Amino acid sequence: MASLLASLPVQSNSVTRYSTQCLRRTFRTSTRRQARASPKHKSIKASDLGLIKQNEARTQVSAKDLRPYSEKEKAALRKRYTPEQLAAIEAGEAAVDPTDLAEQGAVREDPMKLNYLDDFSSIHPVVDKPIRAPEESYDPNLRFKTEDELAEDLTNWVKDMPDEPERLDWMKFMDNTRLTVGKPEAELNPRSYLAPELPKLDILKRNTTESEEIDPSTRRLMRQTGFDYREIRRFRVKNLIQHRVVNQTRLGKISSHYHLTVAGNGKGLIGIGEGKSAEPEEARTQAKNAAIRNMQPIPMYEGRTIFGDVKGKVSATEVELMTRPPGFGVRCQSLIFEMCRCAGIQDMAARVTRSRNHMNTVKATLKALLSQRLPEEIARARGRKLVDVRKVYYGGNV
């Protein structure tokens, strides 16, 4: 490389600098940064609109624009408003100074201006300081009226009732009747040290009827089970088994898809459902709806495990479920684990003996969960009385 550079002819400094820049650009890894594109539309400033400086020219122009209604405009307003409403509109507009209309909404530039824009006509419950009732509104001796005092108020109202009472009279009585004895301010404007409620945003409300269309199968499921659409969406649904089956007929082989699904609410409800159809999605929907429709409550000890050891048998598959202490977790095969998650069981052990067919394992597990015997039932069958020793020896702290 040194010999190559030595053989090159001697050039001026400007040429050498240009060649060096060309070499550098050749070995640049990233593309050159493009120039910033000019905006399509020109920016509009507040000063151009006259919002920053409240000059007299802008005020005069705004005052000239606020001319009274013409006869043609009044005739159009009479078609929409009554004479009393039209007179109120004219009186309200005459009471407003045109200078105020011209100056309102302008951005201030004086030294006392705020660093942010705010609407002082409304109070934000999170940012602004809440307006509380005065301390004088507090009454330590405030109490509710007794039944006799309320009956006395009703009797006095009946005595002073006009000959032809109207519904408005009863509404006034309900609004003006006090329910407490003490300072009127303590009931009408009580002193509270609680934080104001947060605003309810309409954006957070989800209207399922407008945003999403409910399919007919889900509507049928809602009528059959009584659950609303939100509850059905909250259920934990897990597809456990899916495979393709073939039915041999005289016309040939007819294939379909089979799905076995488990559903639960995580608080003791669990159910399984089966679905079969030529389309996989239709079979999945059938199994899901059947699982929600077949949900049944299962007993749970302390909301985390089962009552004792139980067994379930379907065909040649035998399942044994065993209770475990807190923190043990769910230690079993995947199918039983998903069923425990749907039911809300947190501590349990399981063992599958003999045949381990997946379909029979799921059905045997559900059968074992439903075959639990509660301690109250065992005590009632033996003619004994059930006592929780934890409340006696541990003071109910366990």
Side-chain angles (χ1 to χ4, degrees), residues 59-74 77 89-90 93-94 96-98 101:
T59 305
Q60 294 176 1
V61 172
S62 301
K64 292 179 180 179
D65 294 340
L66 299 175
R67 54 181 178 78
Y69 290 113
S70 62
E71 294 297 333
K72 185 177 180 181
E73 294 173 346
K74 289 183 179 180
L77 291 175
I89 293 173
E90 293 178 351
E93 292 185 355
V96 179
D97 189 2
L101 293 178

Short mmCIF file of all heavy atoms in Angstrom, two decimals, residues 59-74 77 89-90 93-94 96-98 101:
data_model
loop_
_atom_site.label_atom_id
_atom_site.label_comp_id
_atom_site.label_asym_id
_atom_site.label_seq_id
_atom_site.Cartn_x
_atom_site.Cartn_y
_atom_site.Cartn_z
N THR A 59 -60.25 44.72 19.19
CA THR A 59 -61.44 44.95 20.03
C THR A 59 -62.51 45.71 19.26
O THR A 59 -63.70 45.40 19.34
CB THR A 59 -61.04 45.71 21.30
OG1 THR A 59 -60.02 44.99 21.97
CG2 THR A 59 -62.23 45.89 22.22
N GLN A 60 -62.11 46.71 18.50
CA GLN A 60 -63.09 47.49 17.75
C GLN A 60 -63.74 46.66 16.66
O GLN A 60 -64.95 46.74 16.43
CB GLN A 60 -62.41 48.72 17.15
CG GLN A 60 -61.93 49.72 18.20
CD GLN A 60 -61.17 50.87 17.59
OE1 GLN A 60 -61.02 50.93 16.36
NE2 GLN A 60 -60.70 51.80 18.43
N VAL A 61 -62.94 45.85 15.98
CA VAL A 61 -63.52 45.02 14.93
C VAL A 61 -64.52 44.03 15.51
O VAL A 61 -65.60 43.80 14.97
CB VAL A 61 -62.39 44.28 14.18
CG1 VAL A 61 -62.97 43.26 13.22
CG2 VAL A 61 -61.54 45.29 13.42
N SER A 62 -64.18 43.46 16.67
CA SER A 62 -65.09 42.51 17.28
C SER A 62 -66.36 43.20 17.76
O SER A 62 -67.46 42.64 17.69
CB SER A 62 -64.40 41.81 18.47
OG SER A 62 -63.25 41.14 18.01
N ALA A 63 -66.23 44.44 18.22
CA ALA A 63 -67.41 45.17 18.67
C ALA A 63 -68.32 45.53 17.50
O ALA A 63 -69.54 45.53 17.62
CB ALA A 63 -66.97 46.43 19.42
N LYS A 64 -67.72 45.82 16.35
CA LYS A 64 -68.55 46.14 15.18
C LYS A 64 -69.27 44.91 14.66
O LYS A 64 -70.35 45.01 14.09
CB LYS A 64 -67.67 46.75 14.09
CG LYS A 64 -67.11 48.12 14.43
CD LYS A 64 -66.24 48.64 13.31
CE LYS A 64 -65.66 50.01 13.65
NZ LYS A 64 -64.79 50.53 12.57
N ASP A 65 -68.62 43.76 14.82
CA ASP A 65 -69.26 42.54 14.32
C ASP A 65 -70.49 42.16 15.12
O ASP A 65 -71.38 41.46 14.61
CB ASP A 65 -68.25 41.39 14.35
CG ASP A 65 -67.12 41.62 13.36
OD1 ASP A 65 -67.33 42.42 12.44
OD2 ASP A 65 -66.05 41.00 13.52
N LEU A 66 -70.58 42.57 16.39
CA LEU A 66 -71.71 42.20 17.24
C LEU A 66 -72.84 43.20 17.05
O LEU A 66 -73.15 44.03 17.91
CB LEU A 66 -71.26 42.16 18.71
CG LEU A 66 -70.15 41.16 19.03
CD1 LEU A 66 -69.71 41.28 20.46
CD2 LEU A 66 -70.64 39.74 18.75
N ARG A 67 -73.45 43.14 15.92
CA ARG A 67 -74.57 44.05 15.62
C ARG A 67 -75.87 43.39 16.08
O ARG A 67 -75.95 42.17 16.27
CB ARG A 67 -74.62 44.31 14.12
CG ARG A 67 -74.67 43.05 13.29
CD ARG A 67 -74.69 43.34 11.81
NE ARG A 67 -74.69 42.13 11.02
CZ ARG A 67 -75.77 41.37 10.82
NH1 ARG A 67 -76.93 41.72 11.35
NH2 ARG A 67 -75.69 40.26 10.09
N PRO A 68 -76.92 44.17 16.29
CA PRO A 68 -78.21 43.58 16.71
C PRO A 68 -78.83 42.75 15.59
O PRO A 68 -78.45 42.86 14.42
CB PRO A 68 -79.06 44.82 17.04
CG PRO A 68 -78.45 45.93 16.26
CD PRO A 68 -76.97 45.64 16.19
N TYR A 69 -79.81 41.93 15.97
CA TYR A 69 -80.48 41.06 15.02
C TYR A 69 -81.32 41.89 14.05
O TYR A 69 -81.98 42.87 14.43
CB TYR A 69 -81.38 40.05 15.72
CG TYR A 69 -80.61 38.98 16.47
CD1 TYR A 69 -80.67 38.91 17.86
CD2 TYR A 69 -79.86 38.03 15.80
CE1 TYR A 69 -79.98 37.95 18.55
CE2 TYR A 69 -79.16 37.07 16.48
CZ TYR A 69 -79.22 37.02 17.85
OH TYR A 69 -78.52 36.06 18.54
N SER A 70 -81.33 41.48 12.82
CA SER A 70 -82.19 42.13 11.83
C SER A 70 -83.59 41.52 11.89
O SER A 70 -83.82 40.51 12.58
CB SER A 70 -81.58 41.95 10.43
OG SER A 70 -81.50 40.58 10.09
N GLU A 71 -84.52 42.13 11.17
CA GLU A 71 -85.90 41.63 11.18
C GLU A 71 -85.97 40.24 10.55
O GLU A 71 -86.76 39.40 10.98
CB GLU A 71 -86.80 42.61 10.43
CG GLU A 71 -86.94 43.96 11.10
CD GLU A 71 -87.60 43.85 12.47
OE1 GLU A 71 -88.37 42.90 12.67
OE2 GLU A 71 -87.33 44.70 13.32
N LYS A 72 -85.14 39.99 9.56
CA LYS A 72 -85.14 38.67 8.93
C LYS A 72 -84.63 37.60 9.88
O LYS A 72 -85.18 36.49 9.96
CB LYS A 72 -84.28 38.73 7.66
CG LYS A 72 -84.31 37.45 6.85
CD LYS A 72 -83.50 37.61 5.58
CE LYS A 72 -83.52 36.32 4.75
NZ LYS A 72 -82.69 36.45 3.51
N GLU A 73 -83.58 37.95 10.63
CA GLU A 73 -83.04 36.99 11.60
C GLU A 73 -84.02 36.76 12.75
O GLU A 73 -84.15 35.64 13.26
CB GLU A 73 -81.70 37.50 12.12
CG GLU A 73 -80.62 37.53 11.05
CD GLU A 73 -79.34 38.18 11.54
OE1 GLU A 73 -79.39 38.85 12.61
OE2 GLU A 73 -78.31 38.03 10.88
N LYS A 74 -84.69 37.81 13.18
CA LYS A 74 -85.68 37.66 14.24
C LYS A 74 -86.84 36.78 13.79
O LYS A 74 -87.37 35.98 14.58
CB LYS A 74 -86.20 39.02 14.68
CG LYS A 74 -85.18 39.84 15.46
CD LYS A 74 -85.79 41.16 15.92
CE LYS A 74 -84.78 41.98 16.71
NZ LYS A 74 -85.37 43.26 17.18
N LEU A 77 -85.72 33.29 14.11
CA LEU A 77 -85.65 32.85 15.50
C LEU A 77 -87.04 32.61 16.10
O LEU A 77 -87.21 31.76 16.98
CB LEU A 77 -84.90 33.90 16.34
CG LEU A 77 -83.40 34.04 16.05
CD1 LEU A 77 -82.81 35.19 16.86
CD2 LEU A 77 -82.68 32.74 16.40
N ILE A 89 -83.03 35.84 25.31
CA ILE A 89 -81.80 35.82 24.51
C ILE A 89 -81.31 37.23 24.24
O ILE A 89 -80.12 37.55 24.38
CB ILE A 89 -82.03 35.04 23.20
CG1 ILE A 89 -82.27 33.55 23.50
CG2 ILE A 89 -80.84 35.21 22.26
CD1 ILE A 89 -82.65 32.75 22.28
N GLU A 90 -82.23 38.11 23.86
CA GLU A 90 -81.83 39.49 23.58
C GLU A 90 -81.34 40.20 24.83
O GLU A 90 -80.37 40.97 24.78
CB GLU A 90 -83.02 40.24 22.97
CG GLU A 90 -83.41 39.74 21.58
CD GLU A 90 -84.62 40.48 21.04
OE1 GLU A 90 -85.22 41.25 21.82
OE2 GLU A 90 -84.94 40.31 19.85
N GLU A 93 -77.74 38.91 25.63
CA GLU A 93 -76.71 39.44 24.74
C GLU A 93 -76.48 40.93 24.97
O GLU A 93 -75.36 41.42 24.80
CB GLU A 93 -77.11 39.20 23.30
CG GLU A 93 -77.10 37.72 22.91
CD GLU A 93 -77.39 37.53 21.44
OE1 GLU A 93 -77.69 38.53 20.76
OE2 GLU A 93 -77.31 36.38 20.97
N ALA A 94 -77.52 41.65 25.37
CA ALA A 94 -77.34 43.08 25.64
C ALA A 94 -76.55 43.30 26.93
O ALA A 94 -75.90 44.34 27.09
CB ALA A 94 -78.70 43.77 25.73
N VAL A 96 -73.96 41.58 27.92
CA VAL A 96 -72.55 41.24 27.74
C VAL A 96 -71.85 42.37 27.00
O VAL A 96 -72.33 42.83 25.96
CB VAL A 96 -72.41 39.91 26.97
CG1 VAL A 96 -70.94 39.59 26.76
CG2 VAL A 96 -73.09 38.78 27.72
N ASP A 97 -70.73 42.81 27.54
CA ASP A 97 -69.95 43.88 26.92
C ASP A 97 -69.19 43.31 25.72
O ASP A 97 -68.52 42.28 25.84
CB ASP A 97 -68.97 44.47 27.93
CG ASP A 97 -68.31 45.73 27.40
OD1 ASP A 97 -68.65 46.13 26.27
OD2 ASP A 97 -67.47 46.29 28.11
N PRO A 98 -69.25 43.94 24.55
CA PRO A 98 -68.49 43.43 23.39
C PRO A 98 -66.99 43.39 23.63
O PRO A 98 -66.28 42.56 23.06
CB PRO A 98 -68.86 44.40 22.27
CG PRO A 98 -70.15 45.01 22.69
CD PRO A 98 -70.12 45.07 24.19
N LEU A 101 -66.05 40.03 25.08
CA LEU A 101 -66.03 38.96 24.08
C LEU A 101 -64.79 39.03 23.21
O LEU A 101 -64.28 38.00 22.75
CB LEU A 101 -67.28 39.07 23.20
CG LEU A 101 -68.63 38.80 23.89
CD1 LEU A 101 -69.77 38.99 22.90
CD2 LEU A 101 -68.66 37.39 24.46
#
